[in-house]
Amino acid sequence: MAITGTTSGVGYWASVFAIRKHVKALVVLNRQSPRAEAAMAKLEEEKRAAGSKTEIHSVAIDLKDVESVKRAAEQVNALCKELGGLNVLANNAGFGPVADTRSAEGYDIQMQVNFFSHYLLTKSLFPSFDLALDNGQEVRICQQTSGIRYQSSKLMLEQKYYEKSEEGTLGGIGVNGSMERYRQSKISCVAFALKLNDMLAAQGYDTTKIKSVRAEPGFAETDLVTNSVSGNTFFIGQLSKIVIRVMALLMKRQSAADGSLPIAHASLGEDVDSGDFFMPNEGNVGTPTKSVAKGKLKNGDAEQEKYGLEPAGQDLCWKMSEKAFGSFFEFAKIGAPV
């Protein structure tokens, strides 16, 4: 299993569950930092406490930097070649809401980190997925989204958020603009996962063996906003903290460990099909339930899930991702790009 963003919060606890599940190997992908080193040491402690034999490997990745993503993919592929393939990729890392800035490639920095770089990482790891399939094993590709996807505005996915643009032109410095950019990036995770379910089948893959799934943690107590401070102006940083504090007073919330249950279940649990979407059964808190099953609405709210389920949005997300970072199936073994 490989998972991005494991230094704290949901990603850390998903890693703990993987260790307790005794996965053969766990690859944690984080920016190099003292926090990453400290988290790695804590995971080794969790391993000892659980009596687990899980191999824990650390691979450096900076989701703001496309070249770093490519290098990380090369390292993971080399590692998984020795391990017999990659069974689970959990694209968990994310940050925001942050200021209206751009990546080196010219894209909104939140779209780059939360979605585009995970798109690039996933397509680049297909040799490892194919190897696992060749060895008769199952593969799951999991995207982490957010409850913010149906809050803030009531807009569907919009093309301008996927395009290169000048800083300050996607809502500017206000909180509404920063929340909408974050929201668009997180709807993209849902739309892409749903479209990937269809595209895998169209490509000739058996979607009972390779599964595109997604998860949402609900309102979990994490360091998301605090960890995003480097991408914020002082104004947005302080206002974002205030918004989170107000939400905490008005809404039910749960621990980061509980918030990791949906992505842990999507990645490692039983009764998981391609096209499934797991979220807390009480909306913001609770045990995982299938909001969407096999790409169709199940226990979720139709008004909330329409943003990811809309076919036009899924098509837009796929088209703009390939325009930005190339054919998704570029490194895949089966078939030609469709």
Side-chain angles (χ1 to χ4, degrees), residues 76-102:
V76 174
N77 279 330
L79 180 61
C80 289
K81 188 174 182 180
E82 300 299 320
L83 293 168
L86 180 60
N87 299 102
V88 180
L89 172 64
N91 289 322
N92 165 75
F95 84 151
V98 299
D100 196 353
T101 55
R102 301 294 172 266

Side-chain angles (χ1 to χ4, degrees), residues 193-231:
L194 284 164
K195 185 66 175 179
L196 177 56
N197 175 49
D198 295 336
M199 296 300 286
L200 285 167
Q203 194 75 8
Y205 280 94
D206 180 352
T207 54
T208 68
K209 300 297 184 182
I210 180 168
K211 303 174 181 180
S212 175
V213 295
R214 54 228 175 274
E216 183 227 309
F219 189 11
E221 295 179 337
T222 71
D223 296 328
L224 176 69
V225 172
T226 302
N227 294 342
S228 303
V229 68
S230 63

Side-chain angles (χ1 to χ4, degrees), residues 193-194 197 211-214 273-277 292-296:
L194 284 164
N197 175 49
K211 303 174 181 180
S212 175
V213 295
R214 54 228 175 274
D273 297 300
S274 191
D276 284 356
F277 178 15
V292 175
K294 297 182 179 180
K296 305 294 183 183

Side-chain angles (χ1 to χ4, degrees), residues 298-319:
K298 187 178 182 183
N299 298 321
D301 185 296
E303 184 65 21
Q304 294 174 355
E305 301 306 344
K306 67 181 181 182
Y307 302 103
L309 288 168
E310 184 197 34
Q314 295 174 22
D315 292 343
L316 174 66
C317 179
W318 189 273
K319 179 184 74 173

Side-chain angles (χ1 to χ4, degrees), residues 167-190:
E167 291 190 1
T169 60
L170 290 176
I173 65 172
V175 171
N176 288 341
S178 64
M179 289 290 284
E180 184 59 25
R181 293 187 298 275
Y182 179 75
R183 177 178 172 273
Q184 290 276 327
S185 73
K186 285 301 185 178
I187 299 174
S188 297
C189 297
V190 177

Side-chain angles (χ1 to χ4, degrees), residues 25 33-34 39 43 46 56 104 107 123 129 174 178 195 203 216 232 236 245 261 271 297 323:
S33 69
L43 289 176
E46 290 283 355
I56 308 176
Y107 299 105
K123 70 170 256 183
F129 299 144
S178 64
K195 185 66 175 179
Q203 194 75 8
E216 183 227 309
N232 266 324
I236 291 181
R245 287 169 184 161
L261 291 176
D271 186 29
L297 187 70
K323 179 181 177 182

